[in-house]
Amino acid sequence: MSLYRGRFAPSPTGPLHSGSLFAALVSFLEARSNQGKWLLRIENVDAQREQANAHRSIIETLQAHSLIWDEEISFQSERSHLYEHALKQLADQQYTFQCPCSRKQLKERNGVHLETCNKQTINQKELVNFATKFKLLKTEFSWEDGILGKKHITCQNDFVLKRKEGFYAYQLAVVCDDIAQNITHIVRGSDLLDSTPMQLALYNALKVPPPKFSHFPVLVNSQNQKLSKQTFAQAVNNHTPLKNLLELFTLLKLPLPQKPSTTEEALKMAIKLWDKHYIPATNTLKHMPSV
Ligand code: GLU
């Protein structure tokens, strides 16, 4: 039995576009070609960024492309107890502090905290309007990336675990979920490379061995901008799923032996051929989807 457990963890901020479909596809092919499980987690920890019904549209698009996950879909909005538990564990071990400094203030002061912020854990009663941050005890982080090879990143800023508005931060939620779901392989876009050191610091503080991290290139448009809602990337057309998959296979230079007639058949062929060396070890990959 395979121990590989991977996942696709979209934030429901809008429908999937070809960049996010590519993310789903690459993590799916990696999991399936390793006889692994592939889980779907809707990362709606930040209610302010969530778009109503986006999760439904994401699910429909995955289903239309036969990218079918294992186990139940998990929703971060239903998992606060996990995050609170980890936060308490980190606080008990003096890894956290309450911080009144805004991002703007820290930027203006080159990362030096306000005089009123002594980076000390203070009385719970005084916590109104303070963010809970993680105290970084080291700044240099290295890991052997499954796609990019040896990576070394310097991370200097203490980072937020719970925002002053009461929301848990992405870094905390994603690590708690990946631990709780026994994820062994994280395969995601290079836009998240800078998050990996923070997550490694959390694994270390929580005394859990980290999963294997692999970062694939993010798809960019003709102006080298990451495909996203902000750069007006089109939603995936669910009426042409086979064509969409074949376009992504072409981008990966995956030589399918013959033209498949269904999405299932296309994925089956791709899984058989798949080797992660088809993923370019670069941070970006140009893609101009045909419409
Ligand atoms: N929810 C994150 C996003 O949509 C991905 C998190 C992850 O893969 O670690 O960008």
Side-chain angles (χ1 to χ4, degrees):
M1 205 183 73
S2 164
L3 291 177
Y4 188 116
R5 287 174 67 82
R7 48 47 160 202
F8 175 52
S11 304
T13 52
L16 294 185
H17 46 76
S18 23
S20 38
L21 184 65
F22 180 75
L25 177 68
V26 170
S27 59
F28 175 87
L29 291 176
E30 268 292 288
R32 292 296 187 236
S33 62
N34 282 290
Q35 292 78 47
K37 300 269 188 216
W38 187 66
L39 275 54
L40 174 61
R41 182 169 71 231
I42 302 294
E43 300 217 310
N44 58 350
V45 73
D46 186 341
Q48 287 175 331
R49 285 184 60 223
E50 181 169 6
Q51 200 190 78
N53 291 326
H55 72 273
R56 268 196 213 111
S57 137
I58 291 172
I59 291 168
E60 275 166 25
T61 298
L62 293 174
Q63 285 171 329
H65 292 76
S66 304
L67 294 166
I68 306 300
W69 53 92
D70 297 301
E71 303 180 8
E72 262 185 47
I73 305 176
S74 60
F75 291 84
Q76 285 188 326
S77 54
E78 294 166 2
R79 298 163 77 85
S80 303
H81 58 284
L82 269 184
Y83 315 145
E84 197 53 51
H85 185 264
L87 203 58
K88 184 165 181 325
Q89 190 181 335
L90 293 169
D92 287 349
Q93 288 165 32
Q94 322 283 312
Y95 274 111
T96 63
F97 67 99
Q98 310 304 323
C99 182
C101 313
S102 67
R103 224 178 295 182
K104 188 164 166 253
Q105 285 164 331
L106 287 171
K107 201 169 166 208
E108 283 164 3
R109 300 165 62 91
N110 282 330
V112 177
H113 286 247
L114 299 173
E115 292 75 20
T116 47
C117 174
N118 58 3
K119 294 181 63 173
Q120 297 300 311
T121 305
I122 53 168
N123 194 316
Q124 289 291 325
K125 285 200 291 278
E126 300 171 42
L127 300 187
V128 196
N129 283 330
F130 280 45
T132 306
K133 290 191 180 172
F134 183 81
K135 225 183 269 178
L136 258 189
L137 301 180
K138 66 172 204 170
T139 54
E140 305 306 314
F141 294 85
S142 305
W143 74 95
E144 186 62 37
D145 194 280
I147 296 167
L148 299 173
K150 193 130 212 84
K151 288 298 295 175
H152 181 95
I153 294 189
T154 304
C155 173
Q156 267 156 347
N157 296 328
D158 302 310
F159 56 91
V160 177
L161 297 173
K162 190 174 183 181
R163 301 219 309 261
K164 66 177 190 313
E165 295 84 3
F167 295 115
Y168 296 96
Y170 157 71
Q171 308 296 353
L172 178 70
V174 82
V175 168
C176 291
D177 285 328
D178 284 329
I179 293 174
Q181 296 184 294
N182 290 319
I183 298 300
T184 58
H185 291 73
I186 294 184
V187 179
R188 61 184 181 192
S190 65
D191 52 332
L192 288 160
L193 270 171
D194 286 339
S195 289
T196 303
M198 300 182 236
Q199 294 172 17
L200 286 171
L202 284 174
Y203 278 99
N204 182 54
L206 293 167
K207 300 187 175 54
V208 177
K212 176 85 179 164
F213 285 97
S214 301
H215 295 85
F216 52 77
V218 294
L219 300 193
V220 293
N221 62 21
S222 55
Q223 285 118 56
N224 276 326
Q225 297 163 317
K226 181 189 160 205
L227 300 187
S228 69
K229 203 162 87 175
Q230 288 71 31
T231 60
F232 310 106
Q234 296 285 315
V236 170
N237 180 352
N238 286 348
H239 296 113
T240 58
L242 183 57
K243 174 172 164 276
N244 304 338
L245 285 180
L246 294 180
E247 258 183 32
L248 295 178
F249 292 158
T250 305
L251 194 65
L252 290 161
K253 301 194 172 61
L254 206 62
L256 295 195
Q258 72 227 37
K259 196 163 169 12
S261 45
T262 62
T263 49
E264 283 94 344
E265 202 188 335
L267 290 172
K268 221 181 204 163
M269 286 179 191
I271 293 167
K272 213 157 165 193
L273 273 177
W274 186 249
D275 179 300
K276 67 165 171 268
H277 296 111
Y278 282 112
I279 310 171
T282 53
N283 282 354
T284 59
L285 184 59
K286 204 160 271 190
H287 180 50
M288 280 153 278
S290 63
V291 269

